[in-house]
Amino acid sequence: MFFKKLKECLTGITALWLMAWTGAVHAEWGLNLTRGVTPISHEVYDLHMLILWVVTIIGIGVFSVMFWSILHHRKSKGAVSAKFHHSTTAEIVWTIIPILILVGMAIPATKTLIKMEQTGDADMTIKVTGYQWKWKYDYMDDGLSFFSVLAQDSNDARQPGSNIDLNSIDHYLLDVDQPIVLPINKKIRILTTANDVIHAWWVPALGWKRDAIPGFINDNWIIIEEPGTYRGQCAELCGKDHGFMPIVVKAVPEEEYVAWVKKMKMAKAAAAASGDRDFSKDELMASGKELYSKNCAVCHMAEGQGIPGTFPALAGSAIATTPEGLPDHIDRILHGKNLMPPFGEQLSDADIAAVVTYERNAWGNDTGDVVQPKDIKAAR
Amino acid sequence: MSEAVIHNGHHDHHDHKPYGIGRWLFSTNHKDIGTMYLVFALIMFFVGGAMAMVIRAELFQPGLQFVNPLFFNSMTTIHALVMIFGAVMPAGVGLANWMIPMMIGSPDMALPRLNNMSFWILPFAFTLLLSTFFMPGGAPAGGWTMYPPLVLQLGDGFPFLIFAIHFLGISSILGAINIIATVFNMRAPGMTFMKLPLFVWTWIITAFLLIATMPVLAGSVTMLLTDKFFGTSFFSAAGGGDPVMFQHVFWFFGHPEVYILILPAFGIVSQIIPAFARKPLFGYESMVYATASIAFLSFFVWAHHMFTVGMPLTGELFFMYATMSIAVPTGVKIFNWVATMWKGSMTFETPMLFAVSFVVLFSIGGFTGLMMGITPVDFQYHDTYFIVAHFHYVLVPGAIFALMAGVYFWLPKWTGHMYDERLGKIHFWLSAIFVNMLFFPQHFLGLAGMPRRIPDYNVQFTEWNMVSSIGGFAFGLSQLILVWVVIKCVRGGQKATDQVWEGAHGLEWTLPSPPPFHSFTTPPQVTDATAHS
Amino acid sequence: MSESHSAYFIPEPSRWPIVGTLALFVSFIGGAIMLNGSGFGTFILGLGAGAIIYLFSGWFSDVICESIRGSYNRQVDTSFRWGMSWFIFSEVMFFAAFFGALFYARIYSVPWIGGEGAKLPTHEFLWPMFEAIWPLMTTPDATIEGGTTAYNQIKEVIPAWGVPAVNTLILLSSGVTVTLAHWSLKKNNRKGLCWWLFATVVLGFLFVTLQATEYAHAYHELGLKLSSGIYGSTFFMLTGFHGFHVTMGATMLTVILARSIKGHFTHENHFAFEAVAWYWHFVDVVWLGLFIFVYWL
Ligand code: HEA
Ligand code: HEA
Ligand code: CUA
Ligand SMILES: [Cu+2]
């Protein structure tokens, strides 16, 4: 094991040197802040470059003086130390000049900041809610609402010991199952909040990040000027899988956006219609397995073994194996308890029925129980 | 039980040292306690460093290699707590213990028993903290900033974390009280405030910061405790509180805390540069005022750590301006150091090398700090590796380098032997090269979009992470040289003179090397000639 | 520096600091285990608390011996003064954290949730029915339709002009009595010293008793508890920590009283007395802040 890692590391180092030699850099490789695609992000970028240059020049100035002195005023060169230890003029000069420079930077910064706070007269509003570890998007005007989680291929590859070549995956850790689609050239108001702990919604190309705080809502806005796909990540430590809750924004022309909304709505209606019927056990097990790995495995782990001390095991748990446990089992998923988040709002009756059925029949929990959507409806 | 009253003139029979383990456990001697502080700090530097090595190993390439995400977060969290509260602060107090009585001409610290307790709390507090690794739910993994509600999800380790913080707070407050009492009350005749060496000055101000902010930290974690166990709702909107309130209270402590880490470092550098430039410190008075202004301003900038929480506009503007203004007094310090070197007669022994590189590399960290102080841009920088690069520049080639400079500078005084200059220089050059390899690429990573506190990342970040990790391993290994130098120096070497360095001035250099058990049993008379260097 | 005959007193190596460290260590472990839900922890906490009492009596009796033996010169006395003043300042900052929480809740978080100021969408989308009134009787989560609340709702708060006002009087007059005791001591009037001290102690414990009955009343009849939302949280944390400090202060005053009766302290050398008096004035001032911002305004 260790030697394998070592070998990998060595290969890595070699690759690195080769790369440096040939200049074959990675496609998405960057050294600097992105310029972004919104008016604000451009201003922020310009500010960033401005301060960067200012401090670079100050730095070069100060250090040149210092290094000149280090080279020339050394004892080995026969330098004899002067006796001065004070100069009021110098002190005043090097107090005033920095103040002026700072004021020069503060003025444009203030202007940009004031602009960023102008969230009024938006064309549409999106509410973003952080969950451990996914995002929920509510289109307040179009009545759409969905969750967005790490894409399955990234999720498989990130498991320890998966041995999947990460370069074979498109946008490793930066891809989701359901991106948000937004129209370009519209002023979009983005409200951020959270359900459990603090998260932060950040897409660099949009020019800012904002904390999503449980119980409070923050107000922001964007106008995307170029169509494209923009990726970002949760930027506030939110627990175990903080590194695994990416954000993908797809900016499209308005007509495309309208069409997309229509499609989403139809899909939703279709799902709701099919949800009322009874399913076979196989159907439930199949969709339950998928739903489980998407929603539950982050905590209860792939084989239902949990993480001792933090997340209880479901394999062999009384709640998931005894008939008396069934009502609690459903209740726990619908309403949550302590650290267990409520899923009643996120998952449909059919989904929950599938997950419950799956959990009661997987990993040796062979109860044979089949739970149907109508059972869940009754328990709500 | 006999008294140890020291009578002027005939103190010789009191100069015996206690022996055995009791000498350390029950010590009331500032040098012994200082030594314990320094040794403890060094050990904790290695403990925290070992955790940093785990972090760097995991981040060497994308994919999860060595640890699971939760444990990774614990590594980040405990690494920071150990480095800040276990390495840098105790090292600073250790130097203060050793040097302040010698610099101001007093026999010992003002409250020697309290001094002992301040030290001994530390190992026990860290026992509390580190024991959480073996508890259900694991060690704290919510970041050293302990933001609720996340931190409230911690398992059995939670109350241990809180109590460890309380314990550390008690230690710091007692230590700080002692330093203030010592400097205000134990100065030798003629040692006026404006003759105090700058190291002493920076410590008075640091001690004040400690007394003003550690209780606030204690209060904030107490609220965490009651929110978790007693049903209060300080940090929950459902009960009328606000998770962000914790951040305000925490950073009211947290920002002054970073100056607690750096001001003693400023003091050390202000002792060393004049000594090796063989020229008095330029602008002594403005150095004192600048330090005091930095400390004063540090109480009004805390919210620059939380620009993204969505404060009202006026708040964001206020904290931006206040943050930017700190660049002015800090600039004064930098310029004064440069002016001290100007037209000096410089030599570059190891302490000076560390001090000079401190000036440059700390400034780089300061510059990025200023960039993050600009609110609208911090919306981009916040919680990325750009921040990680910033604070490691001010902390590692900043605080740690200055502490090392101090150790090399005073080691001959403490042990009576010169250290191995060749090894010292090797240690310096390796450290200086690799620390940049370690932290400079993190600026690029942050700007390119890599968030901090993540165990795994997109492949686009691979190259710079590899560079950083290699730099990290090499930097870590280089630190073994320091241990070697210290051990070698303690065990023997060329005899050190009293003054040790040609350009060193001040009371501490009038004592023999090593100094007697009780530094100045007869208070020396201080004149302009024997005052600060 | 001082005209005194001896140089600065450096104590011999002492076991008290390490005993103190261990006592705190054991208490913390016990407390933590207790909070994690094991009764065993309570036992350890008890041991720790016992050790702390042992520590204080031991350490202070050493100090008293040294003081009586005349080991302390003027300069040592000054060190103690610096030490005590900065210790009290650190206590002030501890309370500042909780006052900060109170002001934050009153000026920011509660109004925000109620729809005032900068966070309008918070109110609109999350807590539409919540009204920001202080004292906060109904927690935001109780205003959500069909929701359940995790907190106690308050029926009534404690009015400022009842027991709290009486308590204010009590504490203020205890500040006067302790000063009178000090004057008596300075005039070498031992009898006055003891009686005024005694009065102070009585007032101190009277305050604590009244406070305890108020707590019982709040818990049993008013529905005002630690878990009554942010009002209850700030109320009990502030008054609770204050009450704890009063208890400590009154206990220290009792010790000082006992020592006075035994004939300790001279009219010019009585730092222990003054330290406790300072401490007492400090709890006094904190109470004034509490009375104004917690009960009254
Ligand atoms: C020793 C510790 C130390 C020091 C000294 C500093 C110094 C400064 N820091 Fe830093 N900081 C940290 C430790 C430190 N910091 C840590 C640990 C964190 C992260 C905490 C966490 O989240 O975990 C942090 C985070 C942090 C943030 C939050 C970023 C974020 O999370 O979004 C900000 C924002 O303003 C900031 C700003 C500053 C500034 C303006 C200074 C100034 O004091 C710097 C002043 C110095 C200079 C400017 C250079 C020299 C000056 C001149 C040569 C004069 C001329 C210059 C000009 C006119 C430009 N710091
Ligand atoms: C004084 C404080 C201090 C110091 C000295 C350091 C020193 C180092 N830090 Fe740390 N660090 C912080 C304070 C500090 N740090 C803080 C406050 C955070 C934020 C935490 C948070 O987000 O909550 C942080 C976070 C942090 C991160 C980000 C983690 C994350 O966001 O997930 C990283 C990653 O590279 C890192 C690396 C390092 C490295 C490589 C060193 C090196 O300088 C360490 C070098 C020392 C040694 C290595 C030990 C000595 C040598 C040996 C033990 C010999 C054996 C060596 C080998 C096996 C190679 N630190
Ligand atoms: Cu969500 Cu980090
Ligand atoms: Cu700061």
Side-chain angles (χ1 to χ4, degrees):
Chain A
M1 176 66 189
F2 176 74
F3 283 104
K4 198 174 134 252
K5 291 293 170 210
L6 195 70
K7 216 177 103 196
E8 274 175 32
C9 292
L10 288 176
T11 342
I13 298 172
T14 328
L16 192 70
W17 281 111
L18 279 178
M19 178 205 74
W21 271 98
T22 56
V25 287
H26 215 277
E28 290 169 292
W29 195 70
L31 289 177
N32 199 358
L33 200 63
T34 166
R35 242 190 119 241
V37 291
T38 70
I40 288 291
S41 75
H42 297 159
E43 283 192 29
V44 166
Y45 175 81
D46 293 343
L47 266 175
H48 159 75
M49 289 316 285
L50 172 76
I51 355 169
L52 187 58
W53 280 115
V54 169
V55 297
T56 310
I57 291 164
I58 296 177
I60 292 175
V62 176
F63 303 146
S64 325
V65 174
M66 190 175 115
F67 280 111
W68 198 88
S69 171
I70 286 176
L71 284 180
H72 294 90
H73 304 148
R74 43 170 76 216
K75 200 179 172 196
S76 57
K77 291 226 170 150
V80 183
S81 60
K83 288 280 162 280
F84 67 86
H85 53 81
H86 183 82
S87 157
T88 312
T89 327
E91 305 265 6
I92 289 176
V93 168
W94 64 49
T95 309
I96 302 287
I97 292 181
I99 292 180
L100 295 179
I101 297 175
L102 291 174
V103 171
M105 295 196 283
I107 291 169
T110 306
K111 284 188 186 147
T112 304
L113 191 60
I114 290 174
K115 253 184 243 171
M116 293 177 98
E117 297 292 328
Q118 310 299 315
T119 54
D121 58 81
D123 300 315
M124 59 185 280
T125 303
I126 308 249
K127 184 161 137 246
V128 180
T129 312
Y131 286 72
Q132 278 177 320
W133 292 281
K134 55 186 159 246
W135 294 100
K136 183 186 182 200
Y137 298 100
D138 289 294
Y139 287 65
M140 307 302 273
D141 314 274
D142 296 308
L144 267 183
S145 155
F146 56 84
F147 282 86
S148 176
V149 301
L150 180 65
Q152 196 58 47
D153 54 353
S154 290
N155 198 23
D156 292 339
R158 74 154 171 123
Q159 303 303 330
S162 73
N163 284 330
I164 297 173
D165 175 16
L166 304 178
N167 285 304
S168 72
I169 292 166
D170 284 343
H171 311 292
Y172 175 58
L173 296 186
L174 289 182
D175 207 6
V176 294
D177 62 340
Q178 174 69 67
I180 28 172
V181 177
L182 295 175
I184 54 168
N185 296 328
K186 291 264 175 202
K187 182 163 182 181
I188 305 168
R189 185 177 180 218
I190 295 194
L191 304 175
T192 57
T193 182
N195 186 53
D196 32 44
V197 301
I198 304 176
H199 304 261
W201 197 80
W202 181 37
V203 179
L206 304 185
W208 49 262
K209 70 174 67 66
R210 190 63 114 208
D211 288 0
I213 297 163
F216 290 88
I217 290 183
N218 278 325
D219 223 351
N220 319 272
W221 66 273
I222 49 172
I223 295 176
I224 306 179
E225 288 175 328
E226 289 164 39
T229 305
Y230 308 111
R231 294 167 200 281
Q233 273 168 281
C234 175
E236 176 66 54
L237 180 58
C238 52
K240 178 166 86 62
D241 284 353
H242 158 62
F244 308 100
M245 48 184 295
I247 298 155
V248 180
V249 173
K250 242 171 97 181
V252 296
E254 169 142 39
E255 318 77 73
E256 238 176 273
Y257 170 74
V258 175
W260 175 80
V261 170
K262 212 160 150 197
K263 206 183 84 200
M264 287 294 282
K265 280 190 170 158
M266 272 158 62
K268 198 173 149 194
S274 70
D276 287 341
R277 70 181 173 92
D278 279 358
F279 293 86
S280 74
K281 185 174 173 195
D282 285 344
E283 279 176 311
L284 289 169
M285 285 299 281
S287 82
K289 185 172 172 135
E290 195 182 307
L291 286 159
Y292 180 86
S293 79
K294 201 162 137 180
N295 294 298
C296 324
V298 278
C299 297
H300 297 289
M301 309 313 284
E303 295 300 313
Q305 75 274 32
I307 298 180
T310 319
F311 304 118
L314 299 178
S317 141
I319 256 186
T321 49
T322 59
E324 311 82 68
L326 183 58
D328 273 344
H329 189 172
I330 297 176
D331 178 78
R332 213 56 96 246
I333 299 170
L334 279 175
H335 302 117
K337 182 181 174 192
N338 300 327
L339 290 191
M340 164 79 194
F343 280 89
E345 197 197 331
Q346 298 177 33
L347 299 179
S348 68
D349 292 346
D351 290 345
I352 295 180
V355 165
V356 175
T357 308
Y358 176 70
E359 285 177 350
R360 299 184 81 78
N361 294 290
W363 333 296
N365 288 359
D366 302 316
T367 56
D369 295 350
V370 175
V371 178
Q372 292 294 354
K374 58 175 185 285
D375 304 327
I376 308 295
K377 198 172 215 150
R380 272 190 194 261
Chain B
M1 140 201 262
S2 78
E3 303 166 38
V5 182
I6 304 144
H7 296 279
N8 286 345
H10 44 94
H11 58 273
D12 31 25
H13 58 282
H14 286 293
D15 229 39
H16 64 252
K17 291 184 193 166
Y19 287 103
I21 178 85
R23 166 174 175 190
W24 305 103
L25 277 180
F26 307 140
S27 177
T28 49
N29 177 275
H30 75 100
K31 301 195 189 70
D32 282 354
I33 295 173
T35 304
M36 289 194 288
Y37 263 114
L38 288 168
V39 171
F40 178 78
L42 188 62
I43 294 173
M44 290 317 260
F45 177 59
F46 276 76
V47 172
M51 295 178 185
M53 294 300 106
V54 174
I55 296 174
R56 283 313 333 161
E58 182 56 59
L59 292 177
F60 182 78
Q61 58 183 35
L64 285 175
Q65 269 76 239
F66 303 101
V67 294
N68 69 48
L70 200 61
F71 189 75
F72 180 91
N73 293 348
S74 296
M75 283 290 118
T76 301
T77 307
I78 308 287
H79 157 69
L81 290 171
V82 165
M83 284 299 198
I84 290 176
F85 291 99
V88 176
M89 289 170 71
V93 185
L95 294 177
N97 249 301
W98 253 102
M99 302 316 297
I100 289 180
M102 292 178 14
M103 286 175 158
I104 64 173
S106 83
D108 205 297
M109 296 291 279
L111 306 161
R113 278 178 292 218
L114 218 55
N115 199 15
N116 174 312
M117 187 155 168
S118 316
F119 169 74
W120 274 106
I121 285 176
L122 292 176
F124 289 98
F126 277 98
T127 309
L128 279 183
L129 183 64
L130 296 178
S131 67
T132 54
F133 274 107
F134 308 101
M135 291 177 192
W144 81 281
T145 49
M146 301 176 285
Y147 285 1
L150 180 63
V151 75
L152 302 174
Q153 295 184 349
L154 179 60
D156 281 2
F158 180 78
F160 288 87
L161 166 69
I162 303 297
F163 289 148
I165 303 280
H166 280 140
F167 219 9
L168 290 168
I170 296 173
S171 157
S172 299
I173 292 168
L174 297 183
I177 288 175
N178 214 337
I179 286 170
I180 293 197
T182 306
V183 183
F184 277 48
N185 192 36
M186 306 284 283
R187 280 167 290 122
M191 178 58 91
T192 58
F193 272 96
M194 278 306 171
K195 286 201 187 105
L196 287 176
L198 256 168
F199 179 69
V200 180
W201 255 117
T202 52
W203 250 113
I204 309 180
I205 294 169
T206 307
F208 173 76
L209 288 178
L210 279 167
I211 299 178
T213 61
M214 292 311 281
V216 177
L217 173 67
S220 68
V221 297
T222 305
M223 290 186 246
L224 286 179
L225 191 79
T226 57
D227 262 17
K228 170 121 175 160
F229 291 111
F230 300 105
T232 57
S233 60
F234 289 106
F235 309 129
S236 157
D242 184 348
V244 172
M245 178 161 86
F246 176 84
Q247 302 184 16
H248 283 288
V249 187
F250 178 87
W251 287 115
F252 181 83
F253 145 81
H255 186 83
E257 167 69 17
V258 307
Y259 293 112
I260 290 168
L261 301 173
I262 206 69
L263 292 186
F266 287 170
I268 298 167
V269 171
S270 304
Q271 300 299 126
I272 292 176
I273 291 184
F276 292 92
R278 292 169 182 75
K279 189 163 154 283
L281 182 67
F282 187 88
Y284 173 89
E285 280 169 33
S286 67
M287 284 301 235
V288 173
Y289 298 137
T291 312
S293 328
I294 293 173
F296 176 76
L297 288 172
S298 76
F299 286 103
F300 306 98
V301 301
W302 74 85
H304 66 214
H305 293 272
M306 31 190 300
F307 280 143
T308 61
V309 299
M311 273 178 286
L313 179 62
T314 40
E316 288 175 340
L317 287 173
F318 172 82
F319 286 108
M320 171 167 81
Y321 302 145
T323 301
M324 293 173 81
S325 69
I326 294 196
V328 177
T330 317
V332 168
K333 303 204 70 123
I334 304 273
F335 301 137
N336 281 340
W337 287 323
V338 174
T340 306
M341 290 186 234
W342 187 257
K343 287 204 190 291
S345 168
M346 281 186 272
T347 52
F348 296 90
E349 287 86 349
T350 313
M352 182 65 162
L353 288 174
F354 273 108
V356 169
S357 68
F358 168 91
V359 175
V360 178
L361 299 177
F362 170 80
S363 296
I364 294 180
F367 289 144
T368 50
L370 182 77
M371 297 174 73
M372 303 178 325
I374 313 279
T375 315
V377 203
D378 185 64
F379 289 158
Q380 287 281 36
Y381 303 146
H382 177 68
D383 267 344
T384 65
Y385 262 77
F386 195 74
I387 310 290
V388 177
H390 155 68
F391 65 72
H392 281 98
Y393 261 86
V394 284
L395 286 168
V396 183
I400 298 268
F401 270 28
L403 290 166
M404 286 177 180
V407 168
Y408 280 105
F409 189 48
W410 287 312
L411 202 54
K413 170 59 59 186
W414 301 334
T415 61
H417 307 293
M418 290 307 285
Y419 61 85
D420 184 332
E421 188 63 55
R422 201 177 58 95
L423 280 180
K425 288 215 166 90
I426 296 177
H427 175 220
F428 165 76
W429 283 109
L430 291 177
S431 300
I433 293 168
F434 289 121
V435 84
N436 284 294
M437 181 170 169
L438 166 56
F439 293 122
F440 207 81
Q442 296 185 354
H443 291 114
F444 305 143
L445 287 169
L447 292 177
M450 178 165 161
R452 62 192 277 206
R453 296 164 165 174
I454 56 172
D456 192 3
Y457 49 80
N458 180 271
V459 287
Q460 65 174 303
F461 304 122
T462 313
E463 290 80 14
W464 288 123
N465 268 304
M466 284 185 177
V467 176
S468 175
S469 290
I470 296 168
F473 301 140
F475 178 77
L477 287 175
S478 317
Q479 302 319 309
L480 295 172
I481 303 173
L482 174 70
V483 182
W484 185 13
V485 171
V486 172
I487 293 176
K488 214 173 141 185
C489 184
V490 171
R491 300 181 69 179
Q494 190 201 328
K495 189 87 192 68
T497 60
D498 290 359
Q499 197 190 358
V500 183
W501 309 106
E502 188 190 0
H505 299 288
L507 288 179
E508 72 273 32
W509 307 108
T510 63
L511 288 170
S513 309
F517 196 57
H518 293 294
S519 303
F520 284 98
T521 40
T522 320
Q525 181 66 42
V526 180
T527 60
D528 279 345
T530 49
H532 58 78
S533 39
Chain C
M1 185 160 248
S2 73
E3 62 290 301
S4 153
H5 49 94
S6 66
Y8 199 84
F9 173 78
I10 308 291
E12 288 279 276
S14 160
R15 68 198 151 100
W16 295 119
I18 193 84
V19 170
T21 307
L22 285 169
L24 284 169
F25 182 62
V26 171
S27 312
F28 280 139
I29 292 189
I33 295 178
M34 184 185 82
L35 288 173
N36 281 335
S38 158
F40 186 55
T42 324
F43 172 71
I44 302 179
L45 181 60
L47 280 184
I52 291 178
I53 294 171
Y54 167 68
L55 158 83
F56 274 118
S57 53
W59 191 332
F60 282 129
S61 63
D62 269 16
V63 171
I64 293 167
C65 285
E66 287 158 5
S67 168
I68 290 175
R69 218 181 294 140
S71 312
Y72 298 160
N73 62 7
R74 184 78 68 71
Q75 201 185 358
V76 175
D77 193 66
T78 312
S79 288
F80 288 159
R81 280 160 202 277
W82 280 116
M84 190 66 192
S85 347
W86 287 101
F87 172 68
I88 290 180
F89 177 65
S90 78
E91 292 267 45
V92 170
M93 291 311 290
F94 183 73
F95 277 97
F98 293 96
F99 273 109
L102 173 70
F103 295 141
Y104 186 90
R106 292 185 63 168
I107 300 173
Y108 298 111
S109 67
V110 172
W112 279 342
I113 299 170
E116 288 162 44
K119 297 252 170 133
L120 194 61
T122 299
H123 177 70
E124 259 176 71
F125 292 105
L126 298 178
W127 318 102
M129 313 290 282
F130 177 75
E131 261 182 278
I133 344 173
W134 193 266
L136 181 84
M137 311 291 275
T138 311
T139 54
D141 64 352
T143 64
I144 300 289
E145 255 176 284
T148 50
T149 168
Y151 301 101
N152 281 298
Q153 309 308 313
I154 305 173
K155 292 201 214 65
E156 224 181 288
V157 296
I158 296 175
W161 299 106
V163 175
V166 175
N167 262 343
T168 310
L169 269 180
I170 292 177
L171 266 197
L172 287 181
S173 35
S174 78
V176 175
T177 53
V178 81
T179 308
L180 290 172
H182 192 195
W183 285 352
S184 308
L185 176 55
K186 281 209 273 196
K187 290 198 207 107
N188 233 338
N189 171 1
R190 307 294 307 189
K191 216 166 147 197
L193 165 68
C194 294
W195 279 113
W196 284 124
L197 258 183
F198 178 70
T200 315
V201 171
V202 169
L203 288 170
F205 282 112
L206 185 62
F207 173 92
V208 176
T209 318
L210 284 178
Q211 196 69 347
T213 39
E214 279 291 84
Y215 274 17
H217 178 59
Y219 259 78
H220 297 306
E221 279 125 56
L222 306 182
L224 174 56
K225 302 184 180 180
L226 255 181
S227 54
S228 303
I230 191 71
Y231 181 77
S233 307
T234 49
F235 177 87
F236 280 107
M237 290 298 270
L238 276 164
T239 58
F241 272 117
H242 176 262
F244 174 72
H245 280 79
V246 176
T247 315
M248 295 303 294
T251 313
M252 292 193 295
L253 279 170
T254 315
V255 174
I256 296 293
L257 174 62
R259 287 184 62 191
S260 302
I261 294 171
K262 267 173 109 184
H264 289 193
F265 309 125
T266 66
H267 67 282
E268 55 192 8
N269 188 358
H270 49 259
F271 173 68
F273 176 96
E274 282 176 273
V276 175
W278 291 351
Y279 193 81
W280 196 249
H281 289 308
F282 147 72
V283 291
D284 219 358
V285 172
V286 172
W287 173 260
L288 281 184
L290 286 180
F291 181 71
I292 295 172
F293 294 110
V294 175
Y295 290 100
W296 183 13
L297 296 183

